[in-house]
Amino acid sequence: MIMLRFIALAVVFVLTVSVAKSADNPPVAVTITKQTPLETLSADGGVVGVSEAAVGVHMNLVSADGTQVTLQDAQGTRYRIAVTSTDYAPPSVAATTASSSAAPIPAPAPVAVVAPQKPVTPAPIPQDNSAALATSPNTPAPLADSPVLTIKIGDRPTASEMSVWPQGGVPDRPLLIAAHGNGGSGPKEIKGWLRLAKEHRFTIVCPSFLSSVNCSHLSEDEPYFQECLTWIKTNLQYNGDEVFMTGFSGGGAATWYLATKRPDFFHGIILQSGNFFGNYYDIRISRWFNKPIKLIWGSQDLPDIPIENGQAVAMLKSEDCKDFTTQIVPGGHHQEHQDLVVGWMEQNLAAPDPN
């Protein structure tokens, strides 16, 4: 009985010390600061995937070995990345700084007390300077607000609306076509792109696709999509060398199986947690061997998305596509990543913004 009491007291003591230590050492938050390779780790520490790190993502530090850090997101998934791609400062650096600052200074001189000075009022900016900044080549002014144009394409009774902004397009600037997911439509989808289109000065077009609900409707979407492209070429101004398409979730069907048939029209495609159905439907990817393609999905995405995107990567490799990349967003769920799409698009532009 005495032995049992002794063991119980020992366990309580160990638990108390453990809790006290964890309270004294809260998790160290680390922010990713550069777009560099990010390794996804298995439970035993093996590498199960490599993607492009998303700048600004916050995770907790697990360990550091000098050149690399292991991080963990809120869902418990672990990643490894170079220390120089984060804001993490190794303890040795902090300790060195602390010890050097704590070193005694011989015979310090007395510190004089100086009265606080009156703050200096900055010189007023000339009235026309703001206009000059807005029109600077390095900071082009955003596009002005204007209504979204929604038109009916073709004669099918449903999923015939296509939304466009701005009306008439943007001369010499990119054109992005966005395919919505299941339950969406062109008029709904365009709402999530308007701010970015205004700030980055590009034309956004959002058709409505039946195949976003069920890929068996691709045969119905194909003639509709060709009519959309004909309308775009006739009615919008844009840089013909900078036309891209993106598809979210079920919108991956239209992106993979319709856009890839038109390498003459599209410069690149980017998928956001996009569905992929293999070669079950006609897909002509061989003509895209030198065109930019990107696949994005989240580390906490729907279970079938990483599998389908893995199959898409295998197809791209088999067709010797040279310019494709993937990115797994740490902590990301089944969601759109418009900011990542626009950032990738701008990296692949044929020419800088003339304005």
Side-chain angles (χ1 to χ4, degrees):
M1 181 65 72
I2 294 174
M3 180 61 69
L4 289 175
R5 287 181 180 176
F6 176 77
I7 293 172
L9 288 171
V11 169
V12 170
F13 175 76
V14 169
L15 289 175
T16 302
V17 172
S18 175
V19 170
K21 283 187 176 180
S22 76
D24 292 339
N25 299 284
V28 177
V30 177
T31 303
I32 295 175
T33 58
K34 295 181 183 177
Q35 276 190 326
T36 51
L38 179 74
E39 296 177 341
T40 304
L41 306 179
S42 62
D44 60 2
V47 178
V48 295
V50 180
S51 62
E52 190 176 85
V55 175
V57 171
H58 307 285
M59 289 189 277
N60 289 334
L61 177 71
V62 176
S63 62
D65 65 1
T67 60
Q68 293 182 313
V69 289
T70 300
L71 308 176
Q72 180 172 295
D73 64 18
Q75 287 71 34
T77 305
R78 294 192 173 188
Y79 307 89
R80 188 161 55 214
I81 191 172
V83 174
T84 54
S85 298
T86 71
D87 65 352
Y88 174 67
S92 58
V93 175
T96 302
T97 304
S99 63
S100 62
S101 62
I105 302 174
V111 178
V113 178
V114 180
Q117 296 182 353
K118 186 184 277 189
V120 178
T121 305
I125 299 174
Q127 220 170 18
D128 61 344
N129 191 47
S130 58
L133 289 173
T135 57
S136 166
N138 297 323
T139 55
L143 299 174
D145 288 325
S146 62
V148 172
L149 172 66
T150 298
I151 58 173
K152 189 175 185 299
I153 299 292
D155 55 4
R156 63 185 190 182
T158 60
S160 61
E161 290 183 316
M162 180 175 75
S163 292
V164 179
W165 192 89
Q167 299 183 29
V170 186
D172 302 316
R173 288 294 291 156
L175 167 73
L176 177 65
I177 298 178
H180 59 83
N182 187 358
S185 66
K188 290 180 182 178
E189 178 68 16
I190 202 167
K191 294 177 182 178
W193 294 96
L194 292 177
R195 178 184 62 82
L196 287 167
K198 182 192 301 182
E199 292 177 357
H200 295 267
R201 303 171 55 82
F202 64 87
T203 303
I204 178 70
V205 177
C206 297
S208 299
F209 293 100
L210 293 169
S211 56
S212 293
V213 179
N214 191 316
C215 60
S216 63
H217 293 295
L218 278 167
S219 59
E220 300 169 65
D221 276 343
E222 185 165 7
Y224 161 79
F225 188 55
Q226 296 306 324
E227 288 189 63
C228 291
L229 299 188
T230 299
W231 187 94
I232 289 170
K233 289 190 288 186
T234 304
N235 295 277
L236 297 180
Q237 297 184 69
Y238 54 92
N239 186 331
D241 294 325
E242 297 176 348
V243 180
F244 300 86
M245 183 161 178
T246 184
F248 165 65
S249 190
T255 307
W256 277 122
Y257 301 97
L258 299 181
T260 57
K261 292 184 178 182
R262 294 296 306 273
D264 59 309
F265 188 78
F266 290 100
H267 176 62
I269 57 173
I270 178 168
L271 288 298
Q272 310 166 72
S273 298
N275 288 125
F276 177 75
F277 305 102
N279 291 321
Y280 185 76
Y281 297 95
D282 182 28
I283 183 169
R284 304 173 188 176
I285 205 66
S286 59
R287 293 183 292 172
W288 284 70
F289 74 96
N290 62 344
K291 288 180 174 287
I293 300 172
K294 184 164 186 174
L295 291 74
I296 302 173
W297 67 94
S299 65
Q300 306 301 317
D301 219 312
L302 298 179
D304 57 329
I305 294 300
I307 297 172
E308 292 182 12
N309 279 268
Q311 294 169 346
V313 168
M315 176 199 66
L316 294 171
K317 290 180 177 178
S318 70
E319 294 289 347
D320 293 324
C321 292
K322 310 296 184 186
D323 195 11
F324 76 88
T325 55
T326 62
Q327 180 174 355
I328 302 173
V329 180
H333 294 268
H334 195 66
Q335 63 192 86
E336 292 193 66
H337 297 281
Q338 290 101 331
D339 54 337
L340 297 181
V341 171
V342 174
W344 172 85
M345 181 176 71
E346 291 198 324
Q347 290 174 0
N348 288 278
L349 296 185
D353 189 344
N355 300 305

